[in-house]
Amino acid sequence: DNKMQATRHRGVLLATAPYTLNGPTRRAMHNKALPRALVTTSSHCTSAGCIGSIIARRTFFKPSSSVVGATPRHVARCLPSSTTVVATDASIHSRTVLEAGGSRSFSGTAHSSAAAAAANTAVFKNSSERRGEFREKLTLKVGDKVHGYVVKDVTPIPERHFMTYHLQHEKTGAEHFHIDCSDTNNVFSVTFKTIPKDSTGVAHILEHTALCGSKKYPVRDPFFNMLRRSINTYLNAYTASDHTSYPFSTQNVKDYRNLLSVYLDATFFPLLQRDDFLQEGHRLEFEVMEDKNSPLKYKGVVFNEMKGAMSDQGALFSQALETALYPTTTYTHNSGGDPVNIPDLTYDGLVKFHQQHYHPSNSRFYTYGDMSLLSHLEKINETLDQFTYQRPHTDIPDEQRFTEAKHVSATCPPTIGSDPSRPTKFAISWLTHRNSDPFESMAMSLLSKLLLDGPNAPMYAALIDSNMALDFAPATGYHHGAREAPFTFGVSGIAPENVKKVEDTIMQVLTKVSEEGFPEERINGILHQTELSLKHRTTNFGMAVSSGLNYAWIHGAVPVERLKIDKLIKRLREELKNGPLFQNLIKKYLLNNQHRVYITMNPDEQYVQKLDEAETSKLQQIQSSLGQDEIGKIIDQAQVLKQRQESVQDVSVLPTIAIDDISPEAPGKDTVLEERTVSGSGNISVPLLAVPQPTNGLTYVKTLFNLNSLPEHLQSYVPLFAMFLTNMGAGKWDFRQLAQELESNTGGIDASVFINWDPQDAGQHSVGLLLSGSCLDAKLEQMFDIMEKIATEPHFEDAERIKSLISQKTSDMQDSLVHSGHSYALSKAGADFSKAHELANTWGGMPQLALLQELSLKSPEELAPELIPKLQEIAKHVLVASRARCKIVAESSTLPLAQQRLQNFFQKLPSPTSEDPWFKPTQFAPLSETRESSIPLPAAVNFAVKTSPGVHYTHADAPKLKVLSSLLGNMYLHPEIREKGGAYGSGALSGSDGLVSFYSYRDPTPLRSLQIYRDSLQWLEPRIIGASGPAAADPDSSRLSSISDRDIEEAKFKIFSSLDAPVAPSSKGSSVFLRGITYDMKQQFRTGILATGRKDLLDVAQRYLGDSNTKSSVVVMGNTTFPTTT
C-alpha cells in the first residue's frame, strides 16, 4: 500500500512511496505512450469496446482519498502508470500467518458462502442488511413499477454472475442501470451529457463549483468535507469531452446513503455561488492583494490546473489532433478549458450551463453491488420527483465528413534532455464509426491491439522496432470515447525530415495487413487475454464498468449489450470463420476513409515564455484600463474571498459516519497464509507463502530475489535489467516469439525492482527484483516453462532491441515529468537522508532519466559493450534459488500442482552459497542544515516538497504521525495551498520509509507553499492548545478555528478509508510478502490510530515538524527557482 498516486480533479494527491519503476513484459505500447494527462483503459474492464482499447478523451478528475487502487483507469486522466517500489521482510514468523487484506470484494463473480461470510468485516458494522451471497435477491420483472420507475429490461450476465436491471423514471425520463451482484464494494454514479460550445472550461468549472455547497448542505465545500466524513473506497467527479460524471463507491451501507444524499443535492440543487466560481474557476487579483500598483494576475484552481495540463506535450498533441478531427462538433473544444479562453467564462454563463445540462431528463444513473436497488431508487426518486420532463438539447450531430485529408501542425514546450535530432511527433488519425454498436466497438478495439500492441504487432515492428521512431505518440489506437470514434497511428521521437517516411510506412502497413490479415496465433492470443480479463477479479470492477458504459450510453446505446462479452466473442469467432473481418475493417474505416488528419508537432524553445508574455501583456492592458471603481471591486472581491476562505464554517449539517462505525478489529483476520518451503537445486529450501483464495481459475505467482549484495557498480542498471529481462527473448525464443508465448499462455510475466523499509526498524531496508506471473490454471505448465526460460536463459545480446527499449523508456519517463513532478520532487528530497533513499531516487527519479537520456543517444554498437556484460553479471548474481522466496495465490485445489511446478522451477536455477540478509542498514544521515534543491521544468506549473525524518511502521509514533498528516491535509494545507494559493493539490505524508513530507501539485506559488509547510507547527499549536487551554478564553480565539475531537475523528476516517479498502484475491498476502507487515502489526497500527488524541498530535508535531529539532530537504520542480542570497 502507500502508492504514489495523483488524481486530476479537485486536487488531493495521495503519495507516500514515490519510488516507481516498471519492467513490463506485455506492454500495450499505445497505452504506455499516452501522457499521464489522458484517459487510459482499465486492463480488466470487459465491456465491449474497452477490450484492448484506450478511451483517449480529455477527462478531468477530482482527487479522492481513496484513489489508490480504486481509480477506474479508463476514465482517469491522472496517474503515473508504474509499479511501486516497495519490498519486503524475508521472514514469516509462524507456520500459519494471518494477514489483514481488507474486506473481501470481488468483481461480481460468485464465490463460496464461507467467503461471503468472511466479507462481513469492519465496513459492515452496524448494518442490518444481508450482504454478499446472502443479500436479498430482487424479483423485479419487465413492466414492474417501483418508486417512480418502470422496469424496461432484466437481463442476466452469466459469465459474470450478474443480474442487470434497466429502469426509467416515469416523471422525468431519467435512465437507471443497476448491476446486482455479490460484490460488497458498491458503486453509484450520476452522469450528465455536457456539450460545451467553446474552450472556456464551463463544464469543468461547473463540476468543481457544483460540489461547493448545495440547497440541503449549504457549506463551503461538501466534497472535501465528505472525504473526511466517509470511509469511501472512491469519491470523485470528472469531466469528459461530452459528459460529466459524479461517481463514488463504498462498502458501508450508512456511508453509501450519506454520499448518495450529498451527491444528489450537489448535482441537482447546487448553490453555485459567485465566490466559488471565482475560487474554482478564475478571477483577477493583484499580486499583492491590496496594492493596486502590483501586477494584476489571473487566479483560480481550474485555471492553474489547466495551465499545468496544457504544458504537457501529450495533452497538447491530443488536443490539437482532436480539434482538427472534429471541426464542427463539441469535440473540437477543450472541455477542461484552455487557459487562454478560461477568463472569458462568465458567472452567468456557468449558471445557464447548469440549467441546460444538469436536469434529470439529461441524466444517467448507475448503481452496482450487493446493496438494495429498491432502497437506492426510493432515495433517488425523492430528488427526481421534484422535476418534470424537460427535453434535453444535447444531441451531438454527425461530424461533417471530409472530402480530402487535412494537414495540421502544432508546437509544444521542449522536453528536458531529449534527443535534439528527433524532436517531432506525428500522427494520422481517422474518424470511424458511431460508438453505439458494441460488436463493432469490440472488433475495432481488438484490431487496435493486433496492429499496435507488442513487438509482434506490424505497426510496432515497422515504426518502433525499426528505430524510425522512439515510441508511439499520445492518443495512438482506437478510442470509443466519442460519439464517432477516432483511430490514430502516431509516433514520438522522429527526425523532422522523416515525417513523410513515417506517413508512407503507416499506409504501407495498413495496405499489407488488409491484404494478408493477421496470423491465427495472434488473434487467438488476443482472445486468450480477453478470457483472462473476464476471470480476473478486481476490487474496482464496478467503477470501471460505470465509466466504460457512459461513453456510449449517453448517445443512446443500450448499456447491457456491452456486457454480453460471451455473446460478442462468439459472434467474433463466427465472423472470423466467415470472412476477413479485420481486413475489411481496415479497408472500410482506414484505407477508404478520407476523413483523416495528418498532424505534426515540434517543440518551440520559447513556447512557455510566449504564453506567459501574452498573458502578461493582456493583464497589463486590463490593468491600465481600470478605473478606480474597478480597482476597488477587485481589491474588495479578493478581501471578501479571503475572509470567506478563512471563516469557520459549521459542517454539522453534512451527514457522517461515527467513530463507532469503525471496527476496532483490522480486517482480514481470517485470511489464511500458509508458510511452506519448496526445494531448489543444491537441496536449498526456498520459502513459499501459499495463499488459498477463490481466484476463479487463475493462479498468481511472485518470486522475490534478494538484491542486497549486488555490487554497487551495477545498481544503477537494475531498472534496465528488469525491463530487458522479460522483453528481450529467452531460451529458444527471440523477443517476438517470447511475446507471443506470453500473450497465448499467460496474463503476463513482469519484472520490477523494489525497495522496502523494515516495518520494525526504518534503519534497515531491503532491495529486490520481483518476477510476477499469472495464468489460467489450465496453463500452469506453459507459464512455468516460460518463467524458467526467462530466469535461466535470458537474451541480452540483441543491441538493436536494447536501443529500442531504452528509447521507449526514455520517452515514457520524459512524458511523465509534467504530470508526476511531485513524485520526482519527493524522490529527490528523500535522497538527502539515506543511502537507501538515494538508491530509490537513482532507480526512479531524475538520475534514472539522466542515465536513460545518456544511453538513448548512443548507437547499438556503443550500447552493446557498455550494457550487455553488466546485464549478464546482474543475472548471474540475482537469478539464483538461494536468494529467492515466493508467493502463490490460487484455488485450494490448484495449490499443490502450482507448488510442484514452482519447485521444478527452482531446481533449474543455480544455488550458490548465499547468506545475504534480507535487510541491511539504511544509513540514515540527518541533515545539519536545511537543504534546498531545484529541478527545472519547462512548464507553467511547479511542485513544492519539504521532507524530514519520520519513523518506521511499528514505531509508537507512526499512527500518530499518520493522523497528524491527515489532519494537516484536511485543515491546513487544503485551505492554504489550494483554496487561497490556487494550487491543484497538496498533502502531508507519513510513510513507513522513515520520512515525513509535504507536497504541492501544479502550484503557481511554490515558495509560498514551502513557507506554509514551515509554519505548520506554528499553525497547529494554538489550535490544539486553544481548544481546551487558556487560548479558548481569548475573544479572538474563534479565528484560530480550534481543532475539535470531531476534526481528529475525520482525519482518522480518511486513513480507515484506505486501511479498510477491499483487496482482490490476487493481492492477498502482499503486505506480509512484500512489506513484512503481519496482521498483528496492522492491528497494532489500527489501535494506535483509534487511540490518538490531541496531546499525541501536539507531541509528535513538536518533535517531528519543528525545524529546530529536524532539518529538512526542500525541493521545487518547475519554472520557479529559489531566490539567491548575497
Side-chain angles (χ1 to χ4, degrees):
D1 39 25
N2 293 336
K3 293 180 180 178
M4 165 57 64
Q5 298 279 18
T7 57
R8 285 208 27 96
H9 216 208
R10 297 222 12 129
V12 177
L13 299 169
L14 303 175
T16 56
Y19 318 118
T20 54
L21 314 169
N22 199 344
T25 295
R26 291 188 318 103
R27 299 178 67 192
M29 299 305 300
H30 53 303
N31 283 17
K32 190 278 303 177
L34 278 173
R36 302 309 185 279
L38 287 178
V39 183
T40 58
T41 186
S42 168
S43 60
H44 302 301
C45 176
T46 52
S47 60
C50 290
I51 299 174
S53 72
I54 330 161
I55 307 168
R57 315 306 303 158
R58 301 184 306 278
T59 304
F60 303 87
F61 246 81
K62 280 186 177 60
S64 93
S65 64
S66 50
V67 70
V68 174
T71 303
R73 294 272 317 276
H74 70 315
V75 293
R77 189 179 178 191
C78 55
L79 311 177
S81 170
S82 52
T83 301
T84 304
V85 181
V86 291
T88 177
D89 178 8
S91 57
I92 302 172
H93 300 292
S94 60
R95 187 167 58 187
T96 299
V97 185
L98 299 178
E99 181 256 354
S103 303
R104 190 162 310 214
S105 179
F106 306 140
S107 57
T109 307
H111 50 91
S112 68
S113 297
N120 293 304
T121 57
V123 292
F124 306 142
K125 188 180 179 187
N126 298 336
S127 171
S128 60
E129 283 193 21
R130 291 183 293 169
R131 303 296 302 277
E133 288 298 307
F134 301 106
R135 71 194 183 281
E136 185 175 351
K137 301 299 173 64
L138 290 168
T139 58
L140 294 176
K141 59 184 183 298
V142 174
D144 283 353
K145 295 185 178 183
V146 56
H147 298 306
Y149 286 85
V150 60
V151 180
K152 295 293 187 180
D153 180 75
V154 178
T155 301
I157 305 295
E159 57 264 43
R160 278 287 183 182
H161 297 270
F162 289 165
M163 185 64 76
T164 68
Y165 299 85
H166 195 170
L167 308 95
Q168 188 167 36
H169 193 253
E170 293 186 283
K171 191 173 179 180
T172 64
E175 291 187 54
H176 189 122
F177 187 69
H178 177 73
I179 297 177
D180 176 70
C181 62
S182 61
D183 195 340
T184 60
N185 192 24
N186 286 253
V187 178
F188 166 86
S189 72
V190 58
T191 300
F192 303 94
K193 196 173 180 181
T194 45
I195 313 301
K197 298 180 179 179
D198 53 41
S199 293
T200 60
V202 58
H204 186 187
I205 294 172
L206 175 58
E207 177 235 307
H208 276 242
T209 52
L211 292 175
C212 287
S214 63
K215 181 179 178 181
K216 188 175 180 180
Y217 304 111
V219 299
R220 191 167 68 239
D221 200 341
F223 175 80
F224 278 100
N225 279 288
M226 287 307 296
L227 279 173
R228 308 163 191 171
R229 302 165 75 87
S230 163
I231 51 172
N232 65 83
T233 55
Y234 187 73
L235 180 62
N236 221 317
Y238 70 84
T239 302
S241 294
D242 55 12
H243 66 276
T244 304
S245 189
Y246 296 81
F248 69 77
S249 62
T250 181
Q251 300 178 90
N252 185 285
V253 173
K254 180 179 179 181
D255 197 34
Y256 191 102
R257 291 168 182 166
N258 291 346
L259 294 171
L260 178 61
S261 178
V262 171
Y263 264 32
L264 288 173
D265 206 58
T267 51
F268 292 104
F269 305 109
L271 297 179
L272 298 184
Q273 298 182 96
R274 185 181 294 272
D275 285 341
D276 292 318
F277 168 72
L278 298 174
Q279 174 182 286
E280 298 297 316
H282 68 89
R283 64 186 184 275
L284 289 170
E285 197 169 295
F286 292 107
E287 188 171 60
V288 178
M289 184 186 299
E290 297 178 355
D291 183 1
K292 67 179 182 179
N293 295 316
S294 64
L296 197 63
K297 298 289 184 181
Y298 286 125
K299 292 191 175 183
V301 172
V302 170
F303 178 79
N304 287 322
E305 174 194 347
M306 296 312 299
K307 286 191 77 171
M310 302 317 290
S311 295
D312 181 272
Q313 279 193 6
L316 289 166
F317 186 79
S318 299
Q319 178 61 60
L321 181 60
E322 204 164 328
T323 296
L325 195 64
Y326 299 90
T328 67
T329 59
T330 188
Y331 304 109
T332 200
H333 306 299
N334 187 335
S335 63
D338 189 316
V340 174
N341 304 115
I342 287 173
D344 297 333
L345 178 64
T346 66
Y347 170 70
D348 290 340
L350 179 87
V351 173
K352 183 178 180 181
F353 194 86
H354 178 270
Q355 293 169 348
Q356 292 172 336
H357 294 84
Y358 279 42
H359 189 277
S361 305
N362 189 44
S363 68
R364 306 288 189 276
F365 288 84
Y366 167 87
T367 50
Y368 165 97
D370 69 336
M371 294 181 191
S372 169
L373 169 62
L374 300 184
S375 175
H376 299 339
L377 295 178
E378 182 179 18
K379 181 64 179 177
I380 295 169
N381 183 54
E382 291 175 5
T383 295
L384 301 193
D385 198 46
Q386 300 177 59
F387 295 85
T388 57
Y389 177 77
Q390 174 180 298
R391 181 182 176 186
H393 296 283
T394 54
D395 288 343
I396 300 174
D398 289 340
E399 183 57 62
Q400 297 178 17
R401 293 292 173 142
F402 300 167
T403 57
E404 59 182 20
K406 181 187 294 187
H407 294 260
V408 297
S409 60
T411 58
C412 61
T415 298
I416 297 175
S418 59
D419 186 346
S421 69
R422 307 181 71 165
T424 303
K425 286 180 168 64
F426 171 79
I428 309 176
S429 185
W430 284 263
L431 193 62
T432 62
H433 61 98
R434 293 182 185 175
N435 69 2
S436 55
D437 182 344
F439 175 77
E440 198 159 47
S441 292
M442 185 184 76
M444 292 290 280
S445 295
L446 295 177
L447 173 61
S448 180
K449 288 184 69 67
L450 289 165
L451 285 167
L452 291 157
D453 192 358
N456 290 305
M459 283 293 177
Y460 181 94
L463 298 171
I464 309 302
D465 245 8
S466 66
N467 199 35
M468 191 180 302
L470 299 181
D471 205 350
F472 283 120
T476 295
Y478 169 77
H479 316 304
H480 78 284
R483 181 175 180 272
E484 295 176 280
F487 204 137
T488 302
F489 300 95
V491 291
S492 298
I494 63 173
E497 62 271 16
N498 283 343
V499 167
K500 185 64 169 65
K501 183 179 179 181
V502 171
E503 175 186 327
D504 291 343
T505 300
I506 291 172
M507 300 306 296
Q508 288 165 8
V509 169
L510 292 175
T511 300
K512 182 178 180 181
V513 175
S514 72
E515 296 169 352
E516 300 177 4
F518 298 99
E520 185 176 357
E521 65 177 1
R522 284 228 64 217
I523 296 173
N524 290 335
I526 296 293
L527 294 178
H528 172 252
Q529 294 303 309
T530 302
E531 181 183 3
L532 278 166
S533 68
L534 285 170
K535 287 181 173 290
H536 179 71
R537 294 173 171 176
T538 65
T539 59
N540 65 332
F541 180 84
M543 187 65 70
V545 169
S546 166
S547 49
L549 292 179
N550 281 336
Y551 289 95
W553 188 13
I554 63 167
H555 299 299
V558 179
V560 72
E561 293 300 319
R562 308 186 89 81
L563 298 177
K564 297 177 180 178
I565 304 302
D566 281 357
K567 175 184 174 182
L568 294 170
I569 291 177
K570 181 180 178 181
R571 179 182 167 187
L572 180 75
R573 292 187 185 278
E574 291 172 352
E575 296 265 2
L576 289 170
K577 288 180 182 178
N578 295 333
L581 171 65
F582 293 120
Q583 295 95 306
N584 290 340
L585 291 174
I586 291 173
K587 293 172 184 176
K588 178 178 179 181
Y589 289 119
L590 302 176
L591 293 176
N592 298 331
N593 178 6
Q594 289 304 308
H595 194 111
R596 67 181 74 160
V597 169
Y598 298 79
I599 181 171
T600 305
M601 175 177 275
N602 285 293
D604 179 352
E605 294 290 337
Q606 305 301 315
Y607 185 89
V608 174
Q609 180 181 339
K610 290 176 181 177
L611 287 178
D612 288 344
E613 289 174 351
E615 181 180 307
T616 299
S617 176
K618 182 178 179 180
L619 288 166
Q620 288 174 343
Q621 291 178 12
I622 294 172
Q623 188 167 3
S624 66
S625 65
L626 293 175
Q628 289 303 312
D629 289 346
E630 292 168 311
I631 291 172
K633 286 180 181 178
I634 291 174
I635 293 174
D636 290 345
Q637 173 183 281
Q639 291 173 332
V640 169
L641 185 59
K642 183 174 184 291
Q643 291 170 0
R644 185 171 182 265
Q645 291 167 338
E646 293 177 345
S647 64
V648 180
Q649 56 177 341
D650 180 8
V651 297
S652 61
V653 66
L654 288 170
T656 184
I657 60 169
I659 200 68
D660 289 342
D661 293 320
I662 304 296
S663 171
E665 184 176 281
K669 185 176 183 180
D670 297 326
T671 301
V672 177
L673 310 178
E674 300 170 0
E675 188 184 51
R676 306 176 182 178
T677 61
V678 294
S679 297
S681 59
N683 295 319
I684 63 104
S685 292
V686 179
L688 165 65
L689 186 65
V691 188
Q693 284 288 312
T695 59
N696 204 27
L698 290 172
T699 295
Y700 304 87
V701 178
K702 292 184 182 295
T703 299
L704 187 67
F705 296 95
N706 191 337
L707 285 171
N708 280 342
S709 63
L710 186 72
E712 188 169 349
H713 73 278
L714 299 174
Q715 290 180 356
S716 297
Y717 298 90
V718 174
L720 288 172
F721 175 83
M723 176 173 63
F724 295 146
L725 182 62
T726 56
N727 284 282
M728 294 281 292
K732 62 184 178 181
W733 303 306
D734 64 22
F735 69 90
R736 291 190 178 89
Q737 292 167 328
L738 175 60
Q740 188 59 57
E741 290 294 319
L742 289 165
E743 187 172 69
S744 299
N745 296 293
T746 78
I749 297 177
D750 301 334
S752 53
V753 292
F754 285 80
I755 295 182
N756 180 58
W757 279 259
D758 186 343
Q760 301 181 80
D761 181 3
Q764 298 287 319
H765 76 284
S766 65
V767 292
L769 176 81
L770 187 68
L771 192 63
S772 305
S774 64
C775 66
L776 297 170
D777 290 348
K779 298 276 190 176
L780 265 177
E781 293 284 339
Q782 293 91 327
M783 181 186 74
F784 277 106
D785 284 344
I786 297 169
M787 194 174 287
E788 176 191 319
K789 292 294 188 296
I790 288 173
T792 61
E793 302 177 56
H795 293 184
F796 297 123
E797 297 78 18
D798 187 344
E800 294 285 348
R801 178 66 172 160
I802 287 175
K803 169 72 174 177
S804 177
L805 290 172
I806 286 175
S807 296
Q808 294 166 57
K809 185 63 177 177
T810 305
S811 175
D812 188 28
M813 208 165 180
Q814 288 173 166
D815 286 346
S816 72
L817 292 175
V818 173
H819 180 72
S820 304
H822 60 298
S823 177
Y824 290 99
L826 283 163
S827 183
K828 167 61 177 167
D832 288 334
F833 289 96
S834 77
K835 288 292 184 181
H837 292 91
E838 184 180 353
L839 178 61
N841 187 47
T842 298
W843 280 358
M846 296 301 291
Q848 187 67 25
L849 176 58
L851 174 63
L852 287 167
Q853 289 173 331
E854 177 187 344
L855 294 173
S856 69
L857 298 177
K858 296 183 178 182
S859 68
E861 293 74 21
E862 293 171 313
L863 289 171
E866 179 175 354
L867 288 182
I868 292 174
K870 292 183 175 69
L871 299 173
Q872 293 170 336
E873 189 176 353
I874 293 172
K876 183 177 180 180
H877 181 91
V878 173
L879 299 175
V880 296
S882 51
R883 288 194 172 96
R885 58 191 182 83
C886 47
K887 183 186 80 159
I888 298 177
V889 181
E891 303 277 355
S892 296
S893 59
T894 306
L895 274 173
L897 177 60
Q899 181 172 337
Q900 181 59 54
R901 289 300 291 114
L902 185 67
Q903 180 163 293
N904 295 344
F905 167 71
F906 282 119
Q907 288 177 349
K908 298 294 178 62
L909 294 183
S911 296
T913 302
S914 172
E915 297 181 358
D916 295 349
W918 277 96
F919 284 91
K920 65 179 183 179
T922 298
Q923 300 180 36
F924 267 101
L927 299 178
S928 59
E929 60 182 6
T930 294
R931 187 171 298 172
E932 296 179 344
S933 305
S934 297
I935 304 175
L937 186 66
V941 290
N942 301 274
F943 309 87
V945 164
K946 175 179 178 287
T947 294
S948 55
V951 297
H952 56 268
Y953 183 83
T954 58
H955 192 287
D957 289 340
K960 300 171 188 177
L961 282 169
K962 200 74 170 179
V963 177
L964 177 63
S965 297
S966 180
L967 180 79
L968 289 172
N970 287 349
M971 299 192 65
Y972 179 52
L973 300 178
H974 175 75
E976 287 292 335
I977 293 178
R978 180 187 169 90
E979 291 184 353
K980 296 180 187 178
Y984 186 47
S986 62
L989 313 170
S990 174
S992 58
D993 61 347
L995 298 176
V996 175
S997 298
F998 296 86
Y999 64 93
S1000 66
Y1001 187 82
R1002 291 188 176 166
D1003 188 347
T1005 56
L1007 300 183
R1008 174 183 177 275
S1009 296
L1010 291 177
Q1011 188 59 48
I1012 289 168
Y1013 305 157
R1014 297 184 190 103
D1015 293 342
S1016 58
L1017 180 59
Q1018 181 181 343
W1019 175 89
L1020 183 75
E1021 283 181 318
R1023 286 163 176 80
I1024 289 284
I1025 299 170
S1028 57
D1034 186 338
D1036 293 329
S1037 65
S1038 61
R1039 290 183 298 177
L1040 291 178
S1041 180
S1042 296
I1043 295 169
S1044 67
D1045 291 341
R1046 178 65 201 181
D1047 294 326
I1048 297 173
E1049 286 184 1
E1050 290 181 1
K1052 296 176 182 180
F1053 292 154
K1054 280 182 73 173
I1055 299 169
F1056 287 118
S1057 178
S1058 174
L1059 292 182
D1060 294 346
V1063 177
S1066 59
S1067 297
K1068 295 289 186 177
S1070 292
S1071 289
V1072 166
F1073 181 70
L1074 290 177
R1075 303 186 62 202
I1077 296 177
T1078 65
Y1079 178 82
D1080 288 343
M1081 293 178 187
K1082 287 190 172 185
Q1083 183 60 62
Q1084 176 186 324
F1085 189 80
R1086 186 184 193 88
T1087 301
I1089 290 172
L1090 289 168
T1092 297
R1094 67 176 63 256
K1095 290 183 179 178
D1096 300 312
L1097 295 176
L1098 183 60
D1099 173 55
V1100 294
Q1102 290 172 336
R1103 287 191 288 116
Y1104 293 98
L1105 298 186
D1107 269 347
S1108 60
N1109 298 329
T1110 58
K1111 300 303 180 182
S1112 303
S1113 174
V1114 295
V1115 177
V1116 171
M1117 183 171 181
N1119 60 12
T1120 300
T1121 58
F1122 290 97
T1124 57
T1125 57
T1126 56

